[in-house]
Amino acid sequence: MDESIYLDEARDPLIIAEGWMKDGKDVAIATVVETWGSAPRPVGSHLVIDAEGNFHGSVSGGCVEGAVVTEAIDVIDSGKARMLEFGIADETAWQVGLSCGGRIKVYVERLG
């Protein structure tokens, strides 16, 4: 079994989020909840974001992270969770570079 596929404590987004919260930061988590077709990251992938826009993890292999970070900052401010959807037919997806042919649904919520 290839142990390199497992995250250690220094790279696990959930452990990073816990540390940020202990440091008094406001934090949101984005989770891939559905995929269709060719999707860069599997269901269950996480991206954690703080109120300053720092982030760790991945929900898309880089192609929609910027849009998710922007939405996450709004979620932190409002406290209201959001469901985001990106796909090849979505004009937003082209703007952020998701041209892989699939779609992803990402749930963003504030932690704490």
Side-chain angles (χ1 to χ4, degrees):
M1 183 187 291
D2 183 3
E3 294 295 323
S4 68
I5 63 170
Y6 296 102
L7 294 176
D8 58 28
E9 288 190 12
R11 294 182 296 164
D12 187 320
L14 300 177
I15 293 172
I16 300 282
E18 183 179 34
W20 287 352
M21 290 173 68
K22 285 180 182 175
D23 290 343
K25 294 182 179 185
D26 293 325
V27 179
I29 187 165
T31 305
V32 176
V33 295
E34 281 187 65
T35 64
W36 300 267
S38 175
R41 301 285 296 145
V43 169
S45 296
H46 297 293
L47 179 71
V48 294
I49 307 96
D50 73 10
E52 286 78 49
N54 298 302
F55 62 93
H56 186 83
S58 178
V59 291
S60 70
C63 55
V64 300
E65 257 77 4
V68 173
V69 168
T70 300
E71 293 286 340
I73 292 170
D74 288 342
V75 166
I76 290 169
D77 290 342
S78 71
K80 295 181 182 174
R82 294 187 187 161
M83 186 69 73
L84 310 175
E85 194 169 331
F86 300 95
I88 194 161
D90 184 342
E91 194 172 306
T92 304
W94 285 105
Q95 293 170 3
V96 297
L98 184 65
S99 57
C100 55
R103 291 188 299 157
I104 61 171
K105 194 177 278 190
V106 179
Y107 185 68
V108 183
E109 61 187 317
R110 182 180 172 140
L111 296 177

